[in-house]
Amino acid sequence: MSTMKAAVIHEAGGPEVLKLETLPIPTPQNGEVLIRVKAFGLNRSELFTRQGLSPDVPFPRVLGIEAVGLVESAPGNEFQHGDIVATAMGGMGRQFNGSYAEYTCVPATQVQLIKTQLPWETLGAIPEMLQTSWGSLFKALSLEKGERLLIRGGTTSVGLAAAAIAKNHGAFVMATTRNPDRGPLLRASGVDQVFIDTGSIADQVREVCPRGVDKVLELIGTTTLKDSLRCARQRGTVCMTGMVGNKWSFDEFSPMDAIPSTVNLTTYDGGPQEFMMTPLEDLVEQIAAGTLHVQVGKVFHLDEIVEAHRVMEENKAGGKIVVLT
């Protein structure tokens, strides 16, 4: 077999611009790995690219910034045929064709070997989600045991994963949702305190933590960032990682007014190096042991990619969306 199925985008637009086509299977060069894709998670950056909000991504393109699957070929012998691997970032689905396909070819330097018997629908949820949540918590926020963490946008896939990881680490976890019905979902992922987000929650947070929380993981973005900064204690840290609020910048931003005195503001945007530093094997073992909860929202197949994108755009998944090939 020399061809594969792939979802190709030729122009920006709604979910329907993703077209299932037949393409040649890529040929890996030395230093590259050809992966037979078994599953991949959907990410909002792919939604933005599909909508035409990533001007540096040329079309036509096969989207997909992460994948799990089996090694088909590695000319440099970095991996063996049949190895279970995960990959993410590094231009995948942006500068070169990504994971919305039966095969993808990526640099060996952004591939992690995973020894596991977890099902593909679980593995497909983890590469980017765990890289982002783990990196935000420990590289950007330096989360310590016993600290009070607030996750703004708690029902996002990264928010749910971050809650589970932080709870395992010994933090007291607080999280927000706009929907009161999502409280049980948050608590199942380790959240101790749920706040109903009206757009302004600083007063609610201060009722529970009068001096403010130690760390804030901001996953909604600029629409709530100023309020999240008001939730942090003096010398506390706020990390902006997500932009599910779909607003990229402030209309007006005065740092002296927006950032409370002595509160730290940082960001996290993990690339391939950060992905390779993420202890995926250890986290996968925790998932298999039942000590780390990963919330898979909905599972689709590759020929259902249009519907999968529609569900992502409408925020109806209730966890990470995974696509099986």
Side-chain angles (χ1 to χ4, degrees), residues 92-112:
M92 189 177 176
R94 299 177 66 83
Q95 276 68 57
F96 57 88
N97 283 343
S99 60
Y100 289 17
E102 293 178 307
Y103 292 85
T104 188
C105 186
V106 303
T109 53
Q110 63 183 67
V111 179
Q112 281 204 50

Side-chain angles (χ1 to χ4, degrees), residues 245-269:
N246 292 354
K247 186 172 172 61
W248 296 78
S249 60
F250 291 109
D251 295 325
E252 295 182 6
F253 181 70
S254 171
M256 293 294 287
D257 293 332
I259 305 174
S261 179
T262 74
V263 170
N264 302 300
L265 173 61
T266 188
T267 64
Y268 182 77
D269 181 16

Side-chain angles (χ1 to χ4, degrees), residues 65 87-92 96 107-112 128 131 268-278:
I65 65 170
T87 185
M89 309 298 290
M92 189 177 176
F96 57 88
T109 53
Q110 63 183 67
V111 179
Q112 281 204 50
E128 177 62 11
Q131 182 270 131
Y268 182 77
D269 181 16
Q273 289 183 329
E274 286 76 17
F275 170 73
M276 294 302 289
M277 292 173 64
T278 304

Side-chain angles (χ1 to χ4, degrees), residues 114-296:
I114 303 177
K115 296 179 181 179
T116 182
Q117 294 183 328
L118 285 176
W120 291 115
E121 53 264 35
T122 301
L123 284 177
I126 68 172
E128 177 62 11
M129 182 172 71
L130 293 189
Q131 182 270 131
T132 303
S133 52
W134 188 89
S136 296
L137 292 176
F138 300 115
K139 291 180 67 66
L141 288 172
S142 300
L143 185 69
E144 299 287 347
K145 182 178 180 180
E147 288 189 320
R148 290 176 175 262
L149 169 73
L150 172 66
I151 303 173
R152 193 74 180 261
T155 58
T156 62
S157 60
V158 171
L160 293 169
I165 293 171
K167 184 66 175 179
N168 276 3
H169 190 63
F172 182 86
V173 183
M174 295 168 276
T176 70
T177 175
R178 292 177 298 177
N179 184 349
D181 294 338
R182 292 293 183 90
L185 173 66
L186 290 168
R187 294 189 185 280
S189 290
V191 174
D192 300 291
Q193 175 83 44
V194 176
F195 294 109
I196 306 305
D197 200 336
T198 61
S200 177
I201 63 162
D203 291 341
Q204 292 183 60
V205 172
R206 292 284 176 165
E207 289 179 6
V208 177
C209 303
R211 296 183 179 181
V213 301
D214 300 295
K215 307 289 167 64
V216 181
L217 176 55
E218 174 59 76
L219 298 173
I220 298 176
T222 57
T223 56
T224 55
L225 179 58
K226 291 180 182 179
D227 187 62
S228 290
L229 285 161
R230 294 177 54 225
C231 297
R233 65 166 174 81
Q234 288 190 356
R235 294 183 297 280
T237 303
V238 178
C239 173
M240 180 171 158
T241 293
M243 278 184 281
V244 297
N246 292 354
K247 186 172 172 61
W248 296 78
S249 60
F250 291 109
D251 295 325
E252 295 182 6
F253 181 70
S254 171
M256 293 294 287
D257 293 332
I259 305 174
S261 179
T262 74
V263 170
N264 302 300
L265 173 61
T266 188
T267 64
Y268 182 77
D269 181 16
Q273 289 183 329
E274 286 76 17
F275 170 73
M276 294 302 289
M277 292 173 64
T278 304
L280 275 190
E281 185 75 47
D282 179 53
L283 294 169
V284 164
E285 289 177 1
Q286 292 179 41
I287 295 168
T291 57
L292 177 61
H293 178 68
V294 169
Q295 184 68 34
V296 176

Side-chain angles (χ1 to χ4, degrees), residues 15 44 47 50-51 178 182 244 246 298 300 306-318 321:
R44 294 195 74 85
L47 184 152
R50 194 207 74 217
Q51 292 173 332
R178 292 177 298 177
R182 292 293 183 90
V244 297
N246 292 354
K298 291 184 180 295
F300 295 89
V306 171
E307 179 60 21
H309 257 249
R310 186 169 289 116
V311 170
M312 175 169 60
E313 192 159 4
E314 295 174 354
N315 295 317
K316 291 183 176 179
I321 297 174

